Amino acid sequence: MAIIESTVSPDSDSFVANRSGMLALIERVRAYAQRSIEASARSRERFEKRGQLLPRERLSLLLDPGTSFLEIGSLAGLGLDDPDLEKSVPGGGVIGGIGWVSGVRVMINASDSGIDAGALQPMGIPKQLRMQELALENKLPYVQLVESAGANLMTYKVEEFVTGGNLFRNIARISAAGLPVVTVTHGSSTAGGAYQTGLSDYIVMVRGRSRAFLAGPPLLKAATGEIATEEELGGALMHTSISGLGDYLAEDDRDAIRIAREILASIEWDREPKAPVRAFKPPRHDAEELLGIMPMDHKRPVDMKQVIARIADDSDFLEFGENYGSATVVGHIRIEGMPVGVITNNGPIDPAGASKATHFIQACCQSNTPLLYLNNTTGFMVGKAYEEAGIVKHGSKMIQAVTNATVPQITIYCGASFGAGNYGMCGRGFHPRFCFSWPNAKTAVMGGEQAARTMAIVTEAAMKRKGEVDQARLDAMQKRIIDHFDSQMSVFTTSARMLDDAVIDPRDTREVLVKVLSICRDAEAREPRKMQFSVARP
């Protein structure tokens, strides 16, 4: 293999400007994520009066001390609850991610009940659906910390009610796939949300706090005239002694978390990775320099090999087909000893690059090597010569290879991801196993200026046919289109809509990749005991 030498100049004006721009974006991402934490924490006094822990305190107690937690969708719903980004509280009303509990790696879904009593926020359903998808794909047990007011009836949408049924369907699928579903019901789990509890394999309820019923006292009275208290209808004592919905009765939140940890400790599950970890050397070049490599302007070129040099073991990269379709860079690296096939872009994808990438994807599938896509492309090449060379045909081959790859695929949006280049580089629509963005990433069908100029050409031609060209109107239209496109391409729009799993600091890229590659490796080696049906209540 070949060591990538650094061509980065940390003292150059461009590097300093790139670094400053990236740091500002990182701070903005962190500020939005912190806002949801602070909004939830403002409920502390109310929780303490009830003898409860805040949602993130519950999560902290659940996780094994000193272990990592890969949070998913912290920016979900940003700007969708309030268009003013300075007031918006992201997160979707849910804290989700992958962590370790009693030595078992699990997916965790915790209601953020410090915000609107845990009522679902915008993008809360898509976020949970993504978490469930990750649990199924990566064969992870599913742990729920439930305390939710359910849907907000004041903002009720029928489509959310219907698609929300997938949440319950997936819990049943997870259980049937042989993946234990462990639920602590800390508070309300009402109406359809009662099935979030009821579909679980192991259910822990908290005395005096847990509530699970299809209709609460107000709806019960309205529907039937019957009068009952919350405790009579669906309290923890009733469910653990009469209905059989609950399996374990806890005295408080801490006790409930203790029981959940004991459940995970008692089940038969792989607690050590099956594949041995090979010896490795860290990258030769400083990850801190990733801050200054990527330009803030996606139209400026960048050598993505310099990114590879800062995430690969020993900065060692065996490039495949270096002189053929050279704007598409592919090759083999290792990350903490784990083999990875990398596909990235030093420019648009041409026919040769698409053919090379197709060959490489198939070769990685043959050798069972996971694929990493580092997106930085304005798309596939266009023009008469490229059409004659078969760009549609060869691009389609690349998209077919991405679609049908039999190995885990991980996508990181490092720069631009435009047009069909987003598809060929395993964008979200092609279901990569994990998908992350750097704060500077841009995603769009094309650049705003391209879209504006395209429409201007079409409109101007129409005006000429009518005998008059209104330049002021054309200019105003172009500005509207540019603003419309540019407002949607940043991570603060795409991540808000769960078009990635998280926005990460570029310096953390190798650490994140180690986590997800380990998750994928262990999933490939694990063989859960699948069942025809999920585990049913007695």
Side-chain angles (χ1 to χ4, degrees):
M1 298 175 79
I3 305 300
I4 301 175
E5 298 297 332
S6 179
T7 59
V8 171
S9 178
D11 297 325
S12 68
D13 291 343
S14 60
F15 183 95
V16 171
N18 293 344
R19 184 178 187 277
S20 177
M22 186 72 81
L23 285 172
L25 289 170
I26 292 170
E27 181 56 34
R28 190 177 168 196
V29 170
R30 289 176 177 171
Y32 289 140
Q34 183 63 26
R35 187 180 298 161
S36 64
I37 296 173
E38 293 172 352
S40 184
R42 285 196 287 272
S43 301
R44 179 178 297 279
E45 184 178 350
R46 184 169 71 252
F47 273 67
E48 288 179 346
K49 283 182 179 179
R50 298 192 304 229
Q52 289 186 297
L53 298 171
L54 284 168
R56 287 189 181 268
E57 292 173 333
R58 295 168 183 165
L59 176 62
S60 180
L61 282 177
L62 179 70
L63 293 169
D64 291 349
T67 58
S68 62
F69 179 64
L70 180 63
E71 187 162 357
I72 302 297
S74 62
L75 296 189
L78 178 68
L80 300 179
D81 59 328
D82 191 321
D84 184 350
L85 294 188
E86 298 311 308
K87 297 179 181 177
S88 177
V89 179
V94 179
I95 307 165
I98 300 172
W100 294 90
V101 179
S102 298
V104 178
R105 184 153 38 199
V106 302
M107 173 61 77
I108 301 171
N109 177 352
S111 307
D112 199 346
S113 49
I115 301 174
D116 291 347
L120 280 176
Q121 306 295 312
M123 295 306 296
I125 291 175
K127 178 175 177 176
Q128 292 185 80
L129 290 175
R130 175 57 178 160
M131 290 154 52
Q132 292 173 334
E133 180 183 29
L134 286 169
L136 280 165
E137 284 187 328
N138 295 290
K139 303 174 187 175
L140 300 171
Y142 195 66
V143 179
Q144 302 182 107
L145 305 182
V146 176
E147 183 174 34
S148 175
N152 186 338
L153 296 182
M154 298 300 291
T155 59
Y156 164 80
K157 293 183 178 68
V158 67
E159 63 268 27
E160 291 181 352
F161 157 67
V162 174
T163 59
N166 282 288
L167 295 172
F168 311 127
R169 174 178 180 269
N170 283 343
I171 295 173
R173 291 177 64 215
I174 291 168
S175 175
L179 308 171
V181 180
V182 179
T183 295
V184 177
T185 304
H186 291 276
S188 293
S189 177
T190 63
Y195 292 106
Q196 189 175 3
T197 294
L199 288 162
S200 305
D201 302 331
Y202 304 89
I203 299 172
V204 184
M205 295 187 136
V206 180
R207 187 190 299 273
R209 294 306 321 167
S210 298
R211 301 284 186 270
F213 32 60
L214 294 183
L219 179 56
L220 180 68
K221 185 176 180 180
T224 69
E226 183 179 356
I227 297 175
T229 67
E230 288 190 342
E231 189 67 26
E232 290 169 337
L233 268 178
L237 187 59
M238 187 279 286
H239 279 309
T240 55
S241 61
I242 299 176
S243 80
L245 175 66
D247 302 311
Y248 305 90
L249 180 62
E251 296 303 316
D252 56 24
D253 282 349
R254 289 179 183 275
D255 191 38
I257 296 295
R258 175 191 62 80
I259 294 171
R261 286 183 52 81
E262 289 187 357
I263 292 168
L264 267 300
S266 67
I267 64 174
E268 182 64 25
W269 200 259
D270 303 322
R271 283 168 169 75
E272 295 293 335
K274 291 185 177 180
V277 177
R278 293 176 51 158
F280 65 90
K281 294 179 180 178
R284 297 187 179 209
H285 309 299
D286 194 347
E288 189 75 22
E289 293 173 344
L290 289 171
L291 294 175
I293 290 174
M294 298 302 297
M296 294 298 102
D297 182 357
H298 62 263
K299 293 188 288 294
R300 289 178 53 195
V302 60
D303 182 5
M304 291 299 290
K305 292 180 188 178
Q306 294 303 310
V307 173
I308 296 172
R310 287 156 179 82
I311 63 174
D313 289 357
D314 202 28
S315 301
D316 206 351
F317 177 52
L318 178 60
E319 188 166 0
F320 178 85
E322 180 178 4
N323 298 319
Y324 181 72
S326 56
T328 300
V329 178
V330 305
H332 292 278
I333 64 171
R334 287 185 178 271
I335 297 179
E336 289 203 0
M338 292 177 282
V340 181
V342 179
I343 302 176
T344 189
N345 324 101
N346 277 348
I349 305 169
D350 61 14
S355 294
K356 178 173 69 173
T358 300
H359 181 158
F360 186 71
I361 291 168
Q362 293 174 338
C364 284
C365 291
Q366 181 191 57
S367 62
N368 199 30
T369 302
L371 286 158
L372 169 63
Y373 298 83
L374 300 175
N375 270 231
N376 182 46
T377 183
T378 52
F380 286 89
M381 289 296 294
V382 297
K384 182 180 177 181
Y386 295 103
E387 295 294 353
E388 291 176 347
I391 187 62
V392 174
K393 177 179 68 176
H394 295 299
S396 296
K397 288 193 306 186
M398 182 176 177
I399 289 171
Q400 287 175 330
V402 169
T403 302
N404 296 296
T406 55
V407 295
Q409 300 183 99
I410 299 163
T411 297
I412 298 182
Y413 295 124
C414 299
S417 186
F418 289 171
N422 177 271
Y423 304 160
M425 290 297 293
C426 199
R428 173 60 113 192
F430 285 76
H431 292 242
R433 185 74 67 90
F434 288 94
C435 180
F436 302 101
S437 297
W438 284 2
N440 61 298
K442 307 286 186 185
T443 304
V445 66
M446 64 181 72
E449 293 179 3
Q450 291 173 295
R453 185 58 189 146
T454 300
M455 289 306 301
I457 291 170
V458 173
T459 305
E460 185 176 9
M463 287 178 173
K464 286 179 178 178
R465 286 195 298 271
K466 294 178 181 179
E468 182 180 354
V469 174
D470 186 340
Q471 190 60 47
R473 181 182 161 199
L474 283 173
D475 292 344
M477 181 191 70
Q478 289 191 77
K479 184 179 184 307
R480 285 197 307 272
I481 293 173
I482 290 171
D483 291 345
H484 181 62
F485 270 72
D486 288 354
S487 68
Q488 297 184 69
M489 63 174 61
S490 83
V491 294
F492 301 106
T493 297
T494 55
S495 195
R497 288 157 177 77
M498 287 301 297
L499 300 180
D500 60 30
D501 294 323
V503 180
I504 63 173
D505 186 325
R507 295 169 292 189
D508 296 334
T509 302
R510 180 176 162 90
E511 179 185 349
V512 169
L513 288 173
V514 169
K515 291 177 184 176
V516 298
L517 285 168
S518 297
I519 291 168
C520 294
R521 177 196 62 194
D522 291 353
E524 297 302 306
R526 181 172 294 126
E527 297 180 4
R529 186 178 295 275
K530 296 181 181 180
M531 304 192 302
Q532 184 176 4
F533 297 98
S534 54
V535 176
R537 298 277 94 207

